[in-house]
Amino acid sequence: MTHEFKEIITVYQQALQKGIKAVVATVVDIDGSSYRRPGVGMLIQENGHMTGAVSGGCVEKEVLRQAQSVFSSGKPKIMTYDGRYRLGCEGILYILIEPFEVAKASIDVINTKLQQRIPFQIKSYYIKEEGSHCVMGSIIEFEDDQLIVFSDTARLLLVQQNSSLQCFERIMQPCFRLIIVGTEHDAKHLCILASVTGWEVEVIGAPSNPKQLFDFPGAFLVRNETPENLTLYNTDLQTAIILMTHNFAKDVLYLQAIKNVEFAYIGLLGPARRREKLLSALIAYAPDISDEFIESIHGPAGLNVGAETPQEIAISIIAEILSVIRAQNPISLQDKKGGIHSQTKKQLIDEMHGRT
């Protein structure tokens, strides 16, 4: 959800420059099931423009209507939306709507943390009952103990102790990042689809055939570097890498260049026999390479969905990356037992120990 929060910040910056007031709506609790889980949010501007969503599109009009009282009073409120009768989702949403009055200096801090890929936490304090309440709101906490409040009402939380308040906490990990090594036709389609998914996409191309940012719609960075000069910055467990240069020798050299970086997923384009030849050549070229790195490489990249076109191959690759980073065994949802949403690592551990 970090990419959604990033979009909210970007749009709010524009509204702030124009002097347009804004509020934020956040799902902080659910009784039953819902289309989205707690933590999802949206920005509503006083002119009616909305960014993001708290459901599949059916709740947003009611949120816009309820937000008007927050604009007029300046007080946060809790609204509920009963989907049992309206949506058939058998759940009640509790949505915190609060003023969003973050100063420009604080916005700059948030953007810097996002660029540096530093995790942070958002805590939303609320009363689980409909209506306006003076002391509710959300606070951003960074690892260095720096705090940013959404509004003055949230600032009161720092000086007042209120035991009646509930707190919904969520860790905002760095935006998921996809590094595409290769600039052929299929790389462009993967870039477009990954950016629509909300991922930050970086493209690595060869200096002999340099590409520009406009060649890859949706990418935030395009670099033209040889494997020998390649340096990947701030890679982490929110990073996936796909090698699709269509050049055997280059793929070997790029694998050598990234063998020590941290990542959540790495994939190779091409058939299984190409993967085996690549890994054999890599081991001969770099005999000290770790078994862990070799075993972590997915090739051919993608799930078996019968993909044929570049667009379909991009879908299969993104689907496999999602299944790996969410620790899911891909099956048809109609065959899945329990909820359809992916589980967190803590939920998986709790389930193993019978605590659910």
Side-chain angles (χ1 to χ4, degrees), residues 1 4 25-29 36-41 168 170 172:
M1 288 184 289
E4 296 172 323
T26 307
V27 177
V28 292
D29 211 335
R36 298 289 304 273
R37 293 191 292 181
V40 65
F168 174 70
R170 61 268 197 201
M172 308 297 285

Side-chain angles (χ1 to χ4, degrees), residues 82-113:
D82 193 339
R84 294 174 297 180
Y85 306 109
R86 306 183 191 187
L87 309 177
C89 291
E90 300 182 355
I92 301 175
L93 303 180
Y94 293 84
I95 302 172
L96 170 64
I97 308 176
E98 59 184 305
F100 200 60
E101 303 165 339
V102 183
K104 182 182 181 304
S106 296
I107 292 294
D108 292 340
V109 171
I110 294 171
N111 283 329
T112 297
K113 300 292 186 181

